[in-house]
Amino acid sequence: DGGITQSPKYLFRKEGQNVTLSCEQNLNHDAMYWYRQDPGQGLRLIYYSQIVNDFQKGDIAEGYSVSREKKESFPLTVTSAQKNPTAFYLCASSARTSLRADTQYFGPGTRLTVL
Amino acid sequence: ILNVEQSPQSLHVQEGDSTNFTCSFPSSNFYALHWYRWETAKSPEALFVMTLNGDEKKKGRISATLNTKEGYSYLYIKGSQPEDSATYLCAHAGAGNNRKLIWGLGTSLAVNP
């Protein structure tokens, strides 16, 4: 089945530790995205990538890093510099690179809790 | 309106009822409006992408309209079923250099059998 997978589903981290969230897609999509969801807020864009080896900061990139070494993979690292990392993280992809008008396909999400 | 606002925040209807909710967005420099459905414990799923004023889209019992001049979109569900229970999100994209989507908080729909 084609789709987007994220792992793990739940992740617990101690304060001060970096943690990497996995996102893989087999849809052959060019663009990939990372969003964060917090209570009372809409989805907020962390990073996006339109092509391999290139990525752009979204609205809330501070404390996060990404890589795009392969078309199908876009891992997100939550660093110790991220002040409020506890949140629900969604990965998405789209076939073309028109961020504004292209349908996005989402993974099931990872819930990160910092203890 | 500077942000994307959705109303109502939540809605409870009986099976068979028709319902509708609203997405309001900035009316200037419009580029696109997206609707997604997000069922509990599942991934958000795209319903519609709308780009033209007056656009109407339909998918089964769900339809949407778009008014870019006044900055709103309506989502209609005809004859609601329990499987329609979900949060319905809209996202707006402006025509400026900022190419990202701005997401609303969603309308949570519960359909009682």
Side-chain angles (χ1 to χ4, degrees):
Chain A
D1 280 57
I4 299 181
T5 56
Q6 291 185 243
S7 61
K9 189 172 181 180
Y10 298 97
L11 191 55
F12 297 90
R13 179 194 103 176
K14 289 184 181 178
E15 227 173 299
Q17 288 180 338
N18 292 355
V19 64
T20 298
L21 281 58
S22 167
C23 177
E24 304 276 332
Q25 54 100 356
N26 61 4
L27 301 167
N28 199 33
H29 284 175
D30 287 321
M32 296 187 74
Y33 315 81
W34 274 105
Y35 289 96
R36 169 180 171 143
Q37 187 196 36
D38 294 282
Q41 301 205 45
L43 296 180
R44 291 183 293 166
L45 185 65
I46 304 172
Y47 267 100
Y48 65 97
S49 168
Q50 295 174 281
I51 195 170
V52 173
N53 292 323
D54 188 44
F55 47 81
Q56 307 294 327
K57 291 182 180 179
D59 297 317
I60 53 166
E62 186 176 347
Y64 299 98
S65 65
V66 293
S67 63
R68 186 89 185 273
E69 297 176 2
K70 298 185 295 183
K71 187 175 185 178
E72 57 270 22
S73 179
F74 191 40
L76 174 75
T77 296
V78 185
T79 75
S80 56
Q82 167 49 234
K83 291 183 170 51
N84 297 297
T86 294
F88 186 70
Y89 291 86
L90 275 170
C91 179
S93 70
S94 63
R96 297 168 296 172
T97 57
S98 171
L99 275 67
R100 294 179 284 194
D102 206 16
T103 296
Q104 295 188 17
Y105 295 81
F106 286 86
T110 292
R111 185 165 297 281
L112 172 65
T113 302
V114 174
L115 304 172
Chain B
I1 296 174
L2 298 178
N3 295 316
V4 176
E5 297 173 2
Q6 293 188 246
S7 62
Q9 184 176 348
S10 65
L11 200 52
H12 293 254
V13 301
Q14 291 298 123
E15 183 175 353
D17 287 350
S18 293
T19 187
N20 67 84
F21 19 94
T22 306
C23 174
S24 301
F25 53 85
S27 56
S28 59
N29 295 321
F30 175 85
Y31 192 93
L33 193 284
H34 298 237
W35 281 103
Y36 285 80
R37 173 171 59 199
W38 194 356
E39 294 178 64
T40 302
K42 293 189 178 180
S43 307
E45 174 195 0
L47 290 172
F48 308 113
V49 179
M50 308 171 80
T51 56
L52 298 175
N53 184 43
D55 231 358
E56 291 188 25
K57 299 240 177 180
K58 188 174 181 181
K59 186 175 182 177
R61 294 178 290 98
I62 303 177
S63 60
T65 61
L66 178 67
N67 183 324
T68 62
K69 295 189 186 311
E70 296 184 40
Y72 64 83
S73 175
Y74 293 141
L75 190 79
Y76 301 91
I77 301 179
K78 185 177 177 182
S80 302
Q81 299 297 309
E83 57 265 31
D84 295 328
S85 298
T87 296
Y88 291 82
L89 299 174
C90 70
H92 164 260
N97 289 331
N98 185 340
R99 302 166 65 194
K100 300 180 284 289
L101 297 179
I102 304 299
W103 294 80
L105 295 182
T107 292
S108 175
L109 174 67
V111 182
N112 301 317

